[in-house]
């Protein structure tokens, strides 16, 4: 900051005082520019309805900071200096009232632009006393005793005016552009027949450079970098005040989303143009990363000409595939497939409404291909007499049917449970698909399909991983000759989810020296055939053989043949996998 020097005994000059004023103004201007930059900035100057309401508005006191010549005209004895521009401060200490009359034509509206500019204003006109050398006791009035008045103060003011637009049918009227040298601050919309202006008729002009509050509190509240989205789903538009005039690498902004995204999205900041909005992996958004009313943080990367969504509160987060042990993983990276288990066990020694299922690990998903979770050290009890988590999903368990057991998981609380569902009539899906999932549970996996007795209890059985074992259930006993593969219903022993079955097969003859032959297979083409044959010289001789892992292609159905003179064939199922 420059300072004038004066000396004892020196005859002071008017330029000493003038330069002191000018130097102070320059110093404050440079400090303001260091804080605010060189672009026009407004503090205050709020536009509000008059009280009582009328067809006028009141512009509150405030300040405008704008680049202007150091002195466009001579400042007393100091010559004009229009070579140097500084950030000058224009001050409006009093409210300014402006008229905004309604258009005369029915159905029309008009937009008024409240605009402002900085001006140097010389005022305080006074006929100043001057030294009279011929009679020092009698001062001259004005220079040369002419009585002429001279300005005594050079004010920095805000010149505020209203510029009317062209009236047009309501909804089609446009806001006029600011006059040269002026900055648009507010838009006032008035319709034909309107007699008063309300706050709803006043809006901030596009890109108006108005500080949201004083600088300290604006920084504390992030008021200059937080704004509300006014766009649509996938097409986000946000205006910040003061207006952002150019995108800069590393710029970080926040906005409140108006709508959720459903796919790839763009972001338009202060009308600078739609720019791709990508996720943390620099890939296009897929949907669900932004939710309505979520607070979104974005950072601009100039090298990829994109906004990167750092986070949206409540939204899904896009990450790159993890490469280290502590990295986050993508959904498709998560290990395992739904229903995959390690060391799953369940045992019902005698028919009961309750049972306990344990496993070292179970993989559950929100949907096939959806969010995947691994449940460790699973140990849960289920009661078929209850409903909800730990019981039936709805209704009562079936009699002499099957129940599907699902491991269910609540990601918000980390809670898990078992849920039973009637699986008698059709195969149960690998992820629970019913309408009665307990609240908060969003992921599941089919971990068992268990037979029930006549009382709707768990039948006596045991399960290891995805195999269920039980006492023999006879599904075939015949002496009829069946030469061509015939369908055999095995629903009494296996559920619709069963993939294979294992049984004890028996074949015996009734005529000495005539053999017998029994086959089972997945279809009429004898795919996956298992067979038993025997030839004995004695009548009634037979043989028992294990028929293991017989493939099921049609749910709860197998195909068999039984040949030989009066041959007796029997099948007793003891196990199925699902």
């Amino acid at each position: 900051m420059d300072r004038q020097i004066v000396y004892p005994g020196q005859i002071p000059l008017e330029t000493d005082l003038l330069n002191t004023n000018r130097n102070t103004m320059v110093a404050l201007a440079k400090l303001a520019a260091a804080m605010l930059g060189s672009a026009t900035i407004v503090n205050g100057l709020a536009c509000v309805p008059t009280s009582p309401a009328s067809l006028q508005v009141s512009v509150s006191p405030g300040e405008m900071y704008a680049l202007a010549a150091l002195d466009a005209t001579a400042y007393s004895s100091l010559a004009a200096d229009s070579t140097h521009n500084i950030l000058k401060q224009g001050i409006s200490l009093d409210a300014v009232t402006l008229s905004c009359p309604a258009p005369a034509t029915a159905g029309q509206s008009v937009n008024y632009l409240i605009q402002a500019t900085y001006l140097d204003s010389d005022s305080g006109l006074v006929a100043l006393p001057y030294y009279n050398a011929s009679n020092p006791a009698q001062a001259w009035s004005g220079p040369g005793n002419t009585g002429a008045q001279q300005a005594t103060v050079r004010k920095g003011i805000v010149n505020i005016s209203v510029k009317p637009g062209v009236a047009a049918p309501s909804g089609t009227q446009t806001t006029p552009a600011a006059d040269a040298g002026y900055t648009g601050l507010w838009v006032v919309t008035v319709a034909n027949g309107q007699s008063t202006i309300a706050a709803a008729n006043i809006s901030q002009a596009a890109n108006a450079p108005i500080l949201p509050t004083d600088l300290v509190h604006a920084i504390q509240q992030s008021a200059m970098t937080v704004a509300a989205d006014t766009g649509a789903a996938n097409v986000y538009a946000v205006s910040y005040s003061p207006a952002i005039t150019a995108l800069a690498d590393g710029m970080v902004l926040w906005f409140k989303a108006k709508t959720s995204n459903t796919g790839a999205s763009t972001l338009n900041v202060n009308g600078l143009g739609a720019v791709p909005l990508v996720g943390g992996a620099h890939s296009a958004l897929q949907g669900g990363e932004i939710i309505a009313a979520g607070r979104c943080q974005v950072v601009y990367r100039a090298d990829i000409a994109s906004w990167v969504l750092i986070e949206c509160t409540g939204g899904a987060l896009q990450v790159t595939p993890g490469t280290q042990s502590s990295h986050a993983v993508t959904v498709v990276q998560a290990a395992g497939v739904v229903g995959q288990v390690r060391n799953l066990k369940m045992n019902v020694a005698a028919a009961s409404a309750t049972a306990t299922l344990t496993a070292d690990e179970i993989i559950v998903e929100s949907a096939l291909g959806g969010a995947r979770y691994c449940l460790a050290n699973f140990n849960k009890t289920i009661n078929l007499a209850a409903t909800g988590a730990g019981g039936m999903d709805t209704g009562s368990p079936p009699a002499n049917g099957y129940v599907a057991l699902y491991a269910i998981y609540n990601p918000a609380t980390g809670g898990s449970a078992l849920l039973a569902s009637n699986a008698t009539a059709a195969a149960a899906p690998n992820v629970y698909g019913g309408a009665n999932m307990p609240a908060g549970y969003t992921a599941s996996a089919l971990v068992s399909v268990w037979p029930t007795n006549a009382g709707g209890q768990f039948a006596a059985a045991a399960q290891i991983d995805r195999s269920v074992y039980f006492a023999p259930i006879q599904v075939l006993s015949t002496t009829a000759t069946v030469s061509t593969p015939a369908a055999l219903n095995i629903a009494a022993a296996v559920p619709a989810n069963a993939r294979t079955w294992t049984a004890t097969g028996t074949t015996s003859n009734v005529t000495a020296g005539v053999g017998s032959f029994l086959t089972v297979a997945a279809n009429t083409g004898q795919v996956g055939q298992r067979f038993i044959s025997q030839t004995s010289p004695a009548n009634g001789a037979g043989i028992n053989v294990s028929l293991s892992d017989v493939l099921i292609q049609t749910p709860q159905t197998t195909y068999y043949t039984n040949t030989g003179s009066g041959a007796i064939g029997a099948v007793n199922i003891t196990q199925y996998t699902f």
Side-chain angles (χ1 to χ4, degrees):
M1 173 179 171
D2 295 341
R3 293 176 289 169
Q4 292 299 111
I5 300 175
V6 294
Y7 299 95
Q10 172 198 340
I11 298 174
L13 303 175
E14 82 280 1
T15 54
D16 294 330
L17 182 59
L18 293 173
N19 276 317
T20 296
N21 291 343
R22 178 180 278 184
N23 292 342
T24 301
M25 180 180 68
V26 170
L28 290 174
K30 292 302 181 181
L31 179 61
M35 298 292 293
L36 301 175
S38 59
T40 299
I41 292 289
V42 168
N43 180 48
L45 302 185
C47 184
V48 296
T50 57
S51 180
S54 65
L55 285 176
Q56 293 181 315
V57 293
S58 177
V59 179
S60 304
E63 308 86 52
M64 170 178 270
Y65 297 85
L67 279 180
L70 186 61
D71 274 308
T73 60
Y75 177 47
S76 184
S77 300
L78 297 183
D81 184 347
S82 57
T83 302
H84 300 102
N85 290 324
I86 62 171
L87 191 71
K88 287 189 172 181
Q89 181 191 55
I91 298 175
S92 176
L93 290 176
D94 300 305
V96 176
T97 301
L98 301 169
S99 295
C100 301
T105 304
Q108 290 192 342
S109 294
V110 61
N111 285 356
Y112 291 92
L113 179 69
I114 309 301
Q115 58 182 3
T117 189
Y118 173 87
L119 288 179
D120 282 331
S121 175
D122 289 348
S123 59
L125 292 176
V126 175
L128 296 170
Y130 277 80
Y131 179 71
N132 181 354
S134 61
N135 184 7
Q138 182 66 46
W140 282 351
S141 176
N145 205 27
T146 61
Q149 292 185 328
Q150 293 174 291
T152 57
V153 62
R154 175 160 289 182
K155 289 185 176 182
I157 68 170
V158 184
N159 186 29
I160 303 169
S161 64
V162 58
K163 182 178 182 180
V166 177
S170 296
T172 66
Q173 78 278 4
T174 59
T175 303
D179 291 330
Y182 281 77
T183 299
L185 301 181
W186 303 96
V187 177
V188 181
T189 302
V190 184
N192 170 263
Q194 194 170 325
S195 59
T196 60
I197 295 172
N201 303 125
I202 304 171
S203 61
Q204 188 168 309
N207 295 329
I210 302 174
L211 287 172
T213 181
D214 64 90
L215 200 57
V216 170
H217 290 94
I219 294 171
Q220 284 182 330
Q221 300 163 12
S222 300
M224 293 182 288
T225 55
V226 175
D229 160 47
T230 58
N234 305 335
V235 185
Y236 298 93
V238 188
S239 291
Y240 298 87
S241 185
I244 293 171
T245 58
L247 303 183
D249 189 45
M251 176 182 288
V252 177
L253 301 173
W254 283 88
F255 66 90
K256 178 183 177 181
K258 179 181 175 183
T259 53
S260 301
N261 79 308
T262 59
S265 302
T266 59
L267 175 62
N268 190 336
V269 172
N270 283 100
L272 295 175
V275 173
L277 178 57
V278 300
H282 297 170
S283 299
L285 302 183
Q286 296 175 291
E289 295 91 348
I290 298 174
I291 65 167
R295 273 55 172 180
C296 304
Q297 184 187 37
V298 295
V299 59
Y300 184 69
R301 279 199 57 167
D303 55 338
I304 60 174
S306 297
W307 287 102
V308 179
L309 180 66
I310 303 302
E311 67 169 315
C312 177
T313 57
L317 184 65
Q318 185 189 102
V319 297
T320 55
T323 59
Q324 301 294 334
S325 60
S326 295
H327 286 184
V329 297
T330 61
V331 168
V332 296
Q333 265 195 306
V337 296
V338 65
Q340 189 173 19
V341 299
R342 176 69 66 184
N343 197 29
L344 182 145
K345 295 179 182 179
M346 180 167 155
N347 181 52
V348 178
S352 173
T354 62
T356 298
L357 184 145
T358 64
D360 292 343
E361 287 185 343
I362 300 174
I363 302 297
V364 297
E365 292 182 1
S366 60
L368 294 181
R372 187 176 292 122
Y373 308 92
C374 180
L375 309 185
N377 302 312
F378 191 88
N379 186 328
K380 299 294 176 181
T381 297
I382 187 163
N383 183 356
L384 297 183
T387 56
M392 291 291 297
D393 61 344
T394 185
S396 302
N400 294 320
Y402 298 93
V403 288
L405 301 186
Y406 288 91
I408 59 175
Y409 178 64
N410 184 332
T413 64
S416 60
L418 287 170
L419 183 69
S421 181
N422 192 333
T424 304
N430 285 303
V431 173
Y432 179 77
N436 298 287
M437 178 72 94
Y441 290 85
T442 59
S444 61
L446 180 68
V447 292
S448 182
V449 183
W450 201 278
T452 59
N453 65 8
Q457 299 175 308
F458 289 115
Q463 180 177 336
I464 299 293
D465 292 335
R466 299 184 77 83
S467 296
V468 179
Y469 305 84
F470 43 86
I473 297 175
Q474 190 172 77
V475 295
L476 177 67
S477 179
T478 183
T479 60
T481 297
V482 180
S483 301
T484 300
L488 176 64
N489 188 317
I490 56 174
V494 305
N497 285 85
R499 307 288 300 276
T500 67
W501 56 272
T502 295
T504 298
T506 301
T507 184
S508 60
N509 68 343
V510 296
T511 303
V514 177
S516 58
F517 197 88
L518 174 70
T519 69
V520 289
N523 54 33
T524 57
Q526 301 287 57
V527 169
Q529 184 190 77
R530 305 286 190 269
F531 67 89
I532 312 169
S533 65
Q534 68 87 29
T535 301
S536 173
N539 295 342
I543 187 172
N544 296 322
V545 175
S546 175
L547 304 171
S548 61
D549 297 321
V550 182
L551 178 65
I552 299 175
Q553 286 189 328
T554 302
Q556 298 179 301
T557 303
T558 194
Y559 292 82
Y560 78 100
T561 62
N562 185 53
T563 55
S565 180
I568 301 173
V571 174
N572 295 276
I573 295 180
T574 60
Q575 176 198 350
Y576 59 81
T577 63
F578 64 94

